[in-house]
Structures are given as structure tokens and as C-alpha cells.
Amino acid sequence: MAEPVLQNAALDPRLTPARPELAARYLEGKVAAARFVEGEPREVVEPQAPVRRAPTPDAPLDTEALKGERVTVYETTAEGWAWGQLDADGYVGWLPASALRAPGPAATHKVAVPRTFVFPGPSIKFPPVEVLSFGCRLAIAHIAEFFAVTTFGGHVPKRHLAPLDAMETDFVTVAERFLGVPYLWGGKTSLGLDCSGLVQVALTACGISCPRDSDMQERALGAPLAPDLEQLRRGDFLFWKGHVAIARDAATLVHANAFHMAVEIEPIGEAVRRIKAAGSELTSVRRVRLLSQ
């Protein structure tokens, strides 16, 4: 029996490249659309590219794609917007077409510090040409005494990079490196990030697959625990409707939040009481095993 064709409204638009007028070829026969197209692979060439809900610069920022990430593009408009799906987490949205190009050499390294500079030559006295955030991916042609040189001639302090296959072992420690970073809805860089962006960046650094938004994370991550806050341990996730935090230990948590407008460490009890007073109850606690355990 053939699979039924679904109405697009029944699917999560954040993860489904389908609109009434256009959809990805791989969805043909599964969704309703006037036209189906093959996607074209693209690579993010800017330090970060906004992924917006609509093809306008004032549309809500849903997430960001980092330099070196791959995107499958299904449409490019005359106004300079590309509609596509991020390869890493499947997120769908509109990106500036100018931030993308045909894929270049495969990435070999990633930025392993909150932020670094790309210099046009082998001297820190040169004005930097780019500022890259944690997790940006680079193709390195060779490594000299102080700099790693990209295939496009950029010079990055080699101490700030790690091989692409090098994994962190404690995602809580990774999250703590972002303390004080401003809260930014949809952000996932050291210039600004939101609660689920912090979780995704930290887990990805440890090689743990993680969806983008907190409701997706609540369904996908780890195993559920009884909501006994006294039994919390390092690395447990606390979820509310629209929010997620990471336990540092039985007493404190770290999260990006709009109350502090930053990534902050605070007592768990204090955070739970404040969020409850604002009208949101804790919905679940989930545990993902730390690689260091």
C-alpha cells in the first residue's frame, strides 16, 4: 500500500523542506507541493549566517549556521535569499545567499575556543579579516610554528584549533566557557546564544547528536528521570516549556536565559522558583551520560 500524502501542516516546518509551492525531491509522494526539486549543496563562508523564518532581514532569527557548515539549498530568490536545510541538524529556513558558496575543500579542523581571529598573513599585527566562534569548521592546508593556514590563505592561531574528529569529554565544561555571553534568541555563537543553542553547541562538541530547539531536545536527549531535584547530578538537563538548563551539580545549573540576558550560573532552587513564579513549571529532567563518566 502506498504511503499517504501528508498535508504540510501536519509536519514540523522546522525540519521539513516543504512549502505549498515547493518541496525537496526526497519528499515527493510524502507531502503536497506544486513542484519538487533536487537540492544543491552549499557551504557557509561567513563566520555565521542567520537562518530566518522568512526571506526578510527583519524576520525572526530561528538559528544560525556556522562557517564551514553544509546546507542543501532548494531555492534562491532574486532578492538574494536561499531556502534550504542545514545538514548538521536538519533545520530549515532562509539564509542570505551571499553567505553561501559551492562546497570547497573538506574541513579538517574546528575552532576550539570561544572566539578567535583570522589574520591575512603570519603576524598578529595584521588587522584580522574575520572573527570566528567556537565550532566553526576550516580546511587547513598546513600548520606552521604559530599559525594554521587555511586553503584560502587565512592564518589562524593554531592553539585555537582542534582536529575535526577531536571531541570534548564534558559538555558542562563546554557550556561554562560561554559564561557572560549575551542572550540572543536563535543565536549559537560566542557573540550571543539562547538556551537550546548553548545545549546544542556543548553536546555537539562532545560528539553527541542534538536537535536545535528545546522541545526537540526534551523528546530526543537521554533518559527521563523522576523530577527529584535532590538527585540531580552534573550533566542532567532540566526542561520547562520553551527553556532548558544544564545541571552543574546537585545545587547549581548553567543556562542562557532572558532574565539575566546572558549565560549564567545560579542555584537550581532559585531558578526553579523564579521560573515557576513567571508561570512555567518544570516539565521534565533528563540524563545524558557524560563521556568522562
Side-chain angles (χ1 to χ4, degrees):
M1 179 181 297
E3 293 185 8
V5 175
L6 299 175
Q7 295 301 312
N8 298 357
L11 300 170
D12 190 335
R14 296 171 295 177
L15 300 175
T16 309
R19 310 188 332 252
E21 65 273 22
L22 181 69
R25 177 76 66 189
Y26 75 84
L27 293 172
E28 191 167 7
K30 299 178 181 179
V31 302
R35 186 163 61 96
F36 294 87
V37 298
E38 297 288 348
E40 296 183 348
R42 291 290 183 267
E43 178 181 335
V44 178
V45 294
E46 296 295 326
Q48 66 265 357
V51 181
R52 300 193 183 277
R53 206 166 301 173
T56 61
D58 58 352
L61 177 68
D62 283 337
T63 187
E64 292 179 305
L66 303 183
K67 187 181 184 73
E69 282 196 58
R70 299 297 173 93
V71 184
T72 303
V73 171
Y74 297 100
E75 179 184 18
T76 302
T77 71
E79 294 74 27
W81 291 93
W83 182 65
Q85 185 169 32
L86 305 186
D87 289 5
D89 61 15
Y91 219 95
V92 174
W94 293 91
L95 300 86
S98 60
L100 308 174
R101 69 163 180 228
T108 59
H109 289 72
K110 58 189 175 183
V111 176
V113 294
R115 196 175 307 145
T116 191
F117 295 110
V118 181
F119 298 94
S123 172
I124 59 173
K125 296 182 180 180
F126 289 138
V129 294
E130 282 187 319
V131 181
L132 302 182
S133 287
F134 185 87
C136 286
R137 300 156 67 96
L138 299 168
I140 299 300
H142 66 274
I143 297 178
E145 181 179 359
F146 185 80
F147 289 103
V149 183
T150 72
T151 54
F152 293 96
H155 288 63
V156 186
K158 70 179 184 180
R159 291 178 180 273
H160 291 175
L161 301 180
L164 202 59
D165 59 358
M167 297 299 164
E168 302 274 355
T169 59
D170 185 340
F171 57 80
V172 184
T173 297
V174 176
E176 290 171 340
R177 293 178 196 160
F178 290 85
L179 284 176
V181 170
Y183 180 86
L184 175 65
W185 181 277
K188 51 182 280 188
T189 77
S190 58
L191 297 175
L193 38 65
D194 60 17
C195 64
S196 55
L198 178 66
V199 167
Q200 187 185 53
V201 167
L203 285 176
T204 299
C206 294
I208 300 172
S209 178
C210 178
R212 177 58 179 89
D213 293 342
S214 61
D215 62 318
M216 302 174 183
Q217 294 170 354
E218 186 170 15
R219 292 191 296 268
L221 295 179
L225 302 176
D228 182 358
L229 298 183
E230 294 184 0
Q231 300 302 314
L232 286 175
R233 71 184 191 198
R234 186 174 179 84
D236 288 346
F237 292 96
L238 295 85
F239 287 95
W240 296 261
K241 182 176 175 58
H243 188 59
V244 58
I246 310 171
R248 299 175 63 246
D249 49 41
T252 62
L253 55 73
V254 58
H255 59 158
N257 67 95
F259 178 80
H260 295 98
M261 283 305 296
V263 177
E264 186 77 16
I265 290 173
E266 64 178 317
I268 291 173
E270 182 177 311
V272 170
R273 286 191 295 272
R274 186 187 71 250
I275 296 172
K276 182 177 181 179
S280 187
E281 296 277 358
L282 190 70
T283 56
S284 71
V285 178
R286 303 186 69 87
R287 177 165 295 166
V288 174
R289 187 175 69 86
L290 293 168
L291 298 183
S292 58
Q293 291 177 344

